[in-house]
Amino acid sequence: MVSQDPKASLRNAALHFHEHPKPGKLEITPSKPLANARDLALAYSPGVAAPCEEIAADPEKAYSYTSKGNLVAVISNGTAVLGLGNIGALASKPVMEGKAVLFKKFAGIDSIDIEVNETDPKKFIEIVAPLEPSFGGINLEDIKAPDCFDIEENLRARMNIPVFHDDQHGTAIIVAAAVLNAMKLVGKNIAEVKICTSGAGAAAIACMNMLETVGARRENIYLADRQGLVTKKRANSVDRWRGAFAQDTDATELADVMAGADIYVGLSSAGALKPEMIREMARDPLILALSNPIPEIMPELAIAERPDAMICTGRSDYPNQVNNVLCFPFIFRGALDAGATTINDDMKRAAAYAIAQLAHEPVLESLGSDASATFGSGYLIPSPFDQRLILRIAPAVAQAAMDSGVSRRPIQDMRAYQDSLKRFVFRSGLVMKPMIERAQGQGKRIAFADGEDERVLRATQVILEERIGRPVLIGRPSVIEHRIERFGLTIRPERDFEIINPEDDPRYRDYVSLFHDLVGRKGVTLDTARTIVRTNTTVIGALAVHRGEADALICGLQGSFIKHARDIRSIIGLADDSAQLSALSMLIMSKGVFFLADTYMNIDPTAEEIVQIALQARDHLKRFNIEARAALLSYSNFGSREGASSEKMREVYTRLKRVAPDLLVEGEMQGDLAINGELRERYVAQSAFQGEANLLIFPSLEASNVSMTLLAELNNALAVGPILMGTKRPAHILAPSVTSRGIVNMSAIAAAEALEV
């Protein structure tokens, strides 16, 4: 069988992707409930009159009562689409829909595409300018040069909202970030470097202007278009935008001035940069060959000619991809949040420096094959999928908007704003904030049984940066140091964290003696104890906690949950008020945050054990600053069916009301009543709490574990935990699939618990 041509295969897949399950990539969904007549009266007539009147009296109220402040229009006339050229407004719609999707995906910005069937710049301006009341910002896209310059210039002058032509400025900002980092890497002064550029369209002109903004000098910039080098002798053949970079020289071609060039920027066509043109470039040249899909010179060919060259392309299959998604969603995020009236040079400069700085930070392990990258010639700019881009760019842009006087709604608390952006990166961010703040600066020592694991090492970096605790890593020092270096982390053993070496620790004999004392009457001989303390890092960590050398333990990346739990119970022991261990799991879903118990430990707990589980879970919710609203789940609704399970949960309710009268608890009941307050009111007129439960207590492990895994999968939920309850000192067993951020979250939980021991 003959395999299908890859291009044809991609084309067919793309067509299927855009057509099914329904045409297009966008849909509009309401953000308010429309479930009954009252909702309709509030959303439309007569209730809608109230916000209309408020906005008529004060236009700024539009940002309070409508979606304007988080709505961007992606507008094009289709005259310069990707690598497709002038294909017209209608044919550009898939691209514009795609841009709108990226706004939502990367920055939570609602966006709608508008394709304008008008190629006359003046008429296009007259169509777009009156749209200002509808949108918080305008993203111009795929409009040919020089029309795009006139269009953006006029719209910026007429509209009091940000207008941004991404083909120009998005590319320019990322190019500036790459240039800043490359020059820093090779020790060159940007004010002195020579820059040669092929291509004189919208992106090229914007790149040169942006490089000037970050320190390059115009007299060092050489620009070439299809007719050759832009010089003062060509005054009648260039427009004012290209003419601004005209050099006073007799040279006529870019090749004539490439000798001694430090930077080449290609925004032209495939093959425009010949190998012989880069031979005479200065030492350690930077080559940005950005034509797509085929660059001005292939990286392999450039490196063969100049092994000292640093290469950037627009392709995802090579390092240093210049991709506009690196910046445009986050620039708009910062501009919208600060109520900016425009996106000025100060804001663009701030974005470029923020992008450049992020490349110096350790890479997130979630970036897959890029996770081992470290700052250098192969990693001058961050990956487009680095989730921290929004955390760096949006605040920098917002601050620049405020500092430069274009912010209508200045951000009052920048730190709180930065924290709020974490919802786009770590869905657990806002939920975990109270726990993290409680742990910060308290210096609690957290022992990590899997100290050699990449995720633990990356988490250690964050734990130290956020001052959540003092890590104690259990592992071989040589392995830990090698992996720290390989992952580009800045942490260092002994300086930043302690290591317990299983192969050679001076406390080994003491650990063995203590372990044997604790488990010697459970069939563990002294020889076996010696072997276990050499090989079982969970045992080592638990012993460190028992001896007071650590305040909490994190383990579980290898081996079974129950085995880790057994070791923890044998060494750390149960809390004075606990008869068993149990597990609390947190699910963060679009509907809200829900806690489930017991999800891992007790197969068929008794009523008394469930009471204890519910009370321990309540105490954990308090640490999150959440008041528990507990639902006792069953197949029965308040006695509607008999059976051992329903009777057990009925007894749990009776006992809880007696021992914890202040606990908001209802049951026994089915899952729909737990979540739907109106439905519950049909059975119990005076329910203990209104609305949905946030703590779900199950009658058995089978019910809880099946429910948890189904809910997580069906709702794309983020799971935090399991949180092990009932231990004398904090100890938690990680899920093997946990990310480094998940480890940070569990560390904060453990450190906060340790403050109460």
Side-chain angles (χ1 to χ4, degrees):
M1 181 177 179
V2 179
S3 61
Q4 189 175 18
D5 176 67
K7 288 185 178 179
S9 178
L10 178 63
R11 179 181 177 83
N12 291 335
L15 291 174
H16 186 274
F17 175 86
H18 281 77
E19 185 177 3
H20 301 285
K22 62 181 180 180
K25 299 189 286 282
L26 287 174
E27 66 178 5
I28 295 174
T29 58
S31 60
K32 297 292 192 293
L34 291 169
N36 50 49
R38 177 170 172 76
D39 290 344
L40 186 61
L42 292 172
Y44 200 54
S45 180
V48 74
C52 291
E53 291 168 345
E54 291 290 319
I55 295 168
D58 179 4
E60 283 296 302
K61 291 290 182 67
Y63 292 94
S64 299
Y65 297 126
T66 77
S67 61
K68 176 181 172 71
N70 194 52
L71 186 61
V72 169
V74 178
I75 303 181
S76 180
N77 61 6
T79 53
V81 178
L82 295 174
L84 303 175
N86 187 355
I87 60 174
L90 180 59
S92 76
K93 187 172 179 62
V95 180
M96 302 312 127
E97 281 190 359
K99 199 64 174 268
V101 169
L102 295 178
F103 268 114
K104 186 67 173 180
K105 173 68 176 177
F106 287 96
I109 294 172
D110 294 319
S111 182
I112 190 71
D113 61 295
I114 299 176
E115 291 73 37
V116 179
N117 195 22
E118 180 55 70
T119 58
D120 184 318
K122 291 183 179 178
K123 292 181 180 179
F124 185 92
I125 291 165
E126 292 305 320
I127 291 169
V128 175
L131 298 177
E132 181 176 340
S134 296
F135 301 101
I138 303 291
N139 185 95
L140 299 172
E141 193 77 16
D142 292 349
I143 302 170
K144 71 177 182 178
D147 295 356
C148 60
F149 300 125
D150 269 332
I151 288 170
E152 186 189 41
E153 189 176 272
N154 279 275
L155 289 177
R156 288 184 64 185
R158 290 180 57 175
M159 303 179 82
N160 205 32
I161 58 176
V163 177
F164 186 83
H165 186 212
D166 186 45
D167 299 314
Q168 293 181 59
H169 309 300
T171 301
I173 288 166
I174 303 162
V175 165
V179 168
L180 288 168
N181 273 343
M183 297 305 97
K184 183 175 183 178
L185 183 65
V186 298
K188 294 182 181 180
N189 184 346
I190 192 171
E192 299 173 357
V193 296
K194 181 179 179 180
I195 303 169
C196 291
T197 304
S198 65
I205 297 297
C207 284
M208 297 308 104
N209 285 326
M210 190 68 211
L211 289 177
E212 270 198 283
T213 300
V214 297
R217 295 165 60 181
R218 185 165 292 195
E219 58 265 32
N220 295 334
I221 296 174
Y222 293 81
L223 186 73
D225 59 15
R226 289 187 179 92
Q227 299 176 49
L229 198 65
V230 175
T231 68
K232 292 185 177 179
K233 294 182 178 180
R234 285 184 54 197
N236 294 328
S237 65
V238 296
D239 54 46
R240 64 184 174 97
W241 295 282
R242 285 179 293 165
F245 293 94
Q247 292 282 10
D248 189 6
T249 176
D250 292 328
T252 59
E253 301 295 334
L254 190 66
D256 300 335
V257 294
M258 284 290 290
D262 298 278
I263 300 168
Y264 166 81
V265 181
L267 288 151
S268 51
S269 59
L273 182 62
K274 308 300 181 186
E276 58 269 21
M277 294 172 66
I278 65 176
R279 288 175 190 157
E280 301 303 317
M281 289 184 74
R283 68 168 179 86
D284 302 314
L286 172 63
I287 297 172
L288 296 113
L290 305 180
S291 173
N292 241 339
I294 304 174
E296 285 78 2
I297 189 169
M298 293 301 292
E300 301 90 343
L301 189 57
I303 291 296
E305 193 66 45
R306 288 297 301 266
D308 59 337
M310 300 169 284
I311 315 290
C312 297
T313 71
R315 292 170 54 139
S316 60
D317 53 346
Y318 288 98
N320 296 321
Q321 182 191 15
V322 175
N323 187 325
N324 286 16
V325 79
L326 268 166
C327 68
F328 76 81
F330 318 121
I331 288 173
F332 269 96
R333 180 76 275 159
L336 292 174
D337 292 340
T341 58
T342 187
I343 296 174
N344 58 27
D345 283 348
D346 289 342
M347 296 159 73
K348 290 183 283 187
R349 184 189 302 111
Y353 277 102
I355 293 169
Q357 182 56 42
L358 183 55
H360 294 262
E361 299 183 28
V363 178
L364 296 174
E365 93 276 2
S366 60
L367 296 180
S369 61
D370 290 334
S372 60
T374 57
F375 176 68
S377 61
Y379 189 70
L380 294 171
I381 46 180
S383 164
F385 297 100
D386 194 316
Q387 297 167 305
R388 298 166 298 180
L389 285 162
I390 193 170
L391 301 181
R392 305 294 185 269
I393 298 173
V397 169
Q399 188 65 57
M402 293 187 289
D403 293 344
S404 60
V406 298
S407 171
R408 278 192 309 218
R409 297 184 303 280
I411 295 169
Q412 300 301 318
D413 186 338
M414 183 56 71
R415 182 171 180 180
Y417 173 61
Q418 291 169 328
D419 283 343
S420 73
L421 292 173
K422 291 181 179 179
R423 70 189 186 277
F424 298 111
V425 181
F426 311 115
R427 284 191 286 166
S428 60
L430 293 179
V431 181
M432 287 300 305
K433 184 179 178 182
M435 207 72 78
I436 291 173
E437 289 182 343
R438 196 170 291 124
Q440 282 177 326
Q442 299 300 316
K444 290 301 178 181
R445 299 159 299 171
I446 307 167
F448 292 92
D450 302 285
E452 297 176 2
D453 190 278
E454 175 185 352
R455 291 165 292 177
V456 170
L457 294 174
R458 292 186 183 279
T460 296
Q461 176 98 32
V462 177
I463 290 165
L464 289 165
E465 289 174 353
E466 298 188 6
R467 302 183 302 111
I468 290 171
R470 291 165 48 198
V472 179
L473 304 189
I474 302 170
R476 295 162 292 177
S478 60
V479 174
I480 290 173
E481 291 177 18
H482 172 74
R483 291 180 178 174
I484 285 173
E485 183 177 355
R486 190 172 82 192
F487 303 141
L489 304 175
T490 59
I491 53 177
R492 292 293 176 266
E494 304 309 327
R495 183 192 72 184
D496 299 316
F497 60 88
E498 181 186 345
I499 293 179
I500 298 177
N501 182 3
E503 295 180 344
D504 183 22
D505 192 279
R507 294 164 290 193
Y508 172 69
R509 292 180 182 274
D510 294 334
Y511 279 11
V512 170
S513 177
L514 174 59
F515 183 55
H516 189 252
D517 287 345
L518 293 170
V519 300
R521 293 184 179 274
K522 297 178 182 179
V524 178
T525 66
L526 189 56
D527 285 341
T528 302
R530 292 190 185 101
T531 301
I532 291 173
V533 174
R534 283 282 190 214
T535 58
N536 188 324
T537 54
T538 295
V539 167
I540 296 171
L543 290 168
V545 172
H546 187 99
R547 283 164 51 92
E549 296 162 353
D551 300 300
L553 169 66
I554 303 290
C555 63
L557 293 181
Q558 304 292 331
S560 72
F561 186 95
I562 292 301
K563 185 175 181 299
H564 290 292
R566 182 196 66 199
D567 291 335
I568 289 169
R569 178 166 181 166
S570 297
I571 300 168
I572 294 178
L574 297 174
D576 294 339
D577 60 349
S578 182
Q580 80 282 327
L581 297 178
S582 59
L584 175 70
S585 294
M586 175 167 63
L587 294 181
I588 302 174
M589 300 183 284
S590 58
K591 188 174 180 63
V593 180
F594 297 89
F595 294 82
L596 293 74
D598 164 26
T599 49
Y600 279 87
M601 286 298 304
N602 299 284
I603 296 174
D604 186 18
T606 65
E608 183 56 38
E609 288 171 336
I610 294 176
V611 167
Q612 191 174 89
I613 290 167
L615 295 177
Q616 290 171 341
R618 173 203 61 185
D619 294 342
H620 267 286
L621 265 65
K622 287 180 181 178
R623 296 189 180 100
F624 289 95
N625 292 346
I626 296 173
E627 182 179 25
R629 300 189 301 275
L632 306 176
L633 298 181
S634 173
Y635 52 76
S636 168
N637 284 323
F638 306 101
S640 64
R641 291 188 65 180
E642 297 301 321
S645 177
S646 62
E647 291 171 6
K648 177 169 67 173
M649 298 309 282
R650 218 168 298 152
E651 182 183 351
V652 171
Y653 175 79
T654 302
R655 292 189 181 207
L656 280 172
K657 295 303 291 183
R658 184 173 65 251
V659 301
D662 294 333
L663 174 65
L664 302 179
V665 59
E666 273 295 359
E668 86 287 6
M669 56 184 161
Q670 295 175 358
D672 53 352
L673 269 66
I675 303 303
N676 189 325
E678 291 184 5
L679 190 59
R680 188 169 63 252
E681 291 288 339
R682 298 178 189 176
Y683 285 82
V684 181
Q686 299 295 323
S687 181
F689 56 87
Q690 301 299 309
E692 63 194 18
N694 55 22
L695 174 58
L696 308 178
I697 305 296
F698 292 84
S700 68
L701 182 62
E702 181 176 36
S704 64
N705 195 271
V706 169
S707 298
M708 177 189 68
T709 52
L710 273 175
L711 284 170
E713 189 66 25
L714 291 173
N715 293 278
N716 188 30
L718 175 67
V720 177
I723 300 168
L724 193 63
M725 302 188 296
T727 57
K728 185 178 287 291
R729 293 187 179 88
H732 298 292
I733 305 166
L734 301 169
S737 60
V738 71
T739 64
S740 63
R741 189 67 203 183
I743 296 173
V744 172
N745 288 338
M746 292 308 301
S747 300
I749 290 170
E753 282 182 86
L755 292 171
E756 302 174 16
V757 175

